[in-house]
Amino acid sequence: MVGDLLDDRYQIESRLGAGGMSVVWRAWDRVLERAVAVKVLAGAQAAAQGARQRIQAEARAAAGLWHPHVTSVYDYGEHTDAAGRPVSYVVMELLPGQNLSRRLAAGPLPPAAAMRTCAQVAEALAAAHERDLVHRDIKPSNVMLTPAGVKVVDFGIASTVGRPELEADGQLLGTAAYLAPERLEGGTVLPASDVYALGLLLYRTLTNELPWSAETPTQMMNAHVYVDPAPLPAIEGVSPEVQRLLDRCLARDPADRPGAGEVAMALHGLTDDAERRVDETAQRVPAAPVSAPATAGSSAGRRRRIPRAVSIPLVLTAAAGIIALLLPQFSADDGSSGGAASRPGATPPGTAFDAPAADPSASRQTSGGPAPVSRPSRTLAVPPEPARPTAGASASASVGRTTPPGAGQPAGPSGAAPTLASAEPGTPVEALGGVVTVLCTGDQARVVSLVPAPGYSIKDQNSGPAREIKVVLLSTANQSEVKARCDDGRPIPKIKETRR
């Protein structure tokens, strides 16, 4: 497709991202002489009438909604390629920056930044709701962080208030981790469903977790309906008002949730409060001596980092009772469609669950029915993030936290030098229990440095070289289990944090 000219106007230059249904390209608009992003249906979807109607509806929905925090749609067209096949495409603004999902790979946002980000998302949703438009797929990969602020993207499954939630074929569109309980009942489209997803987005940006743990789509849907969300952990700069706002956004009854405009106003006020707390703290606490910098393993220099929970796009067909996972679109927690034609817990025996192909460590699982739902142990797995930005994102959006190996590493809890300390290069993987630096050589992983956090000791370790390394770090109250395997020369971590 590179080099193609769509309708004698849009010159395709390079590929930005791809998913199961579409590809996003960087293109040059010859008429207005500017760079744009062009979303094109791909594969079997290119000729499917339903998919073409959906991408046209997406263009119309977003084009009719002008707002500083909504990505702009410039054009829609249908082009005939060299083989005579129709190609539907949407032309959008090319956004600099990265999506929120990729930013969270480096850890949770500072409280003020998290609340400001979600306040701007809420403003975008309030504008959409005023036009009776419901996004239905609010999640980190659909939030772009740009120099000008937040941009909400991908109105591909947006719908109008009052329309049936289920498609004509019985599918429910969305992403399992962010589905409001009422959506699973298959009623009508409600703005309150976006507010529920917004509450989960706020929890995620503050903690880099979801308030439940789940390993399958069925468990996740059960959690939305039956499991009370875990309260926010204690976070410096986050007031009790934030928890109260979260409780309202995550209320099971949509009538009990605030409107998106009210959430935006509340979050802006809470952001100002969080920034004021930071300023007051900075005035009270003297600067640290230059001669004693914080180190990677110290409590002062190491920020809490917990990997994100897996959010899984799905389609649940009532007739067959089968959960089939779609390919992720543009990020690991992406998914333009999903479904549930019956309430959670109604999946018949023999349900199959295929993890997304983006996760090389995932395996096929089968069960005799939904797993029982109980209070989660907050076990989280990190799938690899494909280096593919969301629609309109720049191609260089990868962000990660790195620590120079061996630089300023402290002694372990007993005062002895850290185990496996090394000056070799590698990628640090940070858990509550410490920092494990992993080096990949082909598909072999090896631990080249291990710095336990204060109060933690090494309980078990397989430092490789191996297809997967494993380190278990133990304190009196907690256990951190760090695993990592290699994919394309970079470590893919999996971290499990549990209380003893």
Side-chain angles (χ1 to χ4, degrees), residues 486-497:
C486 294
D487 179 43
D488 197 22
R490 56 189 286 252
I492 305 302
K494 185 180 295 183
I495 302 173
K496 180 179 178 181
E497 304 282 2

Side-chain angles (χ1 to χ4, degrees), residues 280-351:
E280 291 173 354
T281 301
Q283 292 172 6
R284 291 196 306 266
V285 179
V290 175
S291 60
T295 58
S298 71
S299 59
R302 187 175 56 82
R303 184 172 59 184
R304 170 186 171 93
R305 178 182 178 189
I306 301 178
R308 64 178 177 78
V310 183
S311 65
I312 308 167
L314 63 133
V315 174
L316 218 123
T317 306
I322 297 175
I323 298 176
L325 298 184
L326 301 180
L327 287 175
Q329 239 185 336
F330 309 123
S331 83
D333 71 347
D334 232 341
S336 62
S337 49
S342 59
R343 287 181 60 86
T347 309
T351 296

Side-chain angles (χ1 to χ4, degrees), residues 111-112 115 237-238 269-279:
M115 288 183 278
V238 176
L270 291 167
T271 300
D272 294 340
D273 181 57
E275 289 175 335
R276 184 166 54 252
R277 289 167 182 259
V278 170
D279 291 341

Side-chain angles (χ1 to χ4, degrees), residues 58-69:
E58 173 188 359
R60 286 175 175 166
L65 179 63
W66 184 90
H67 191 272
H69 298 307

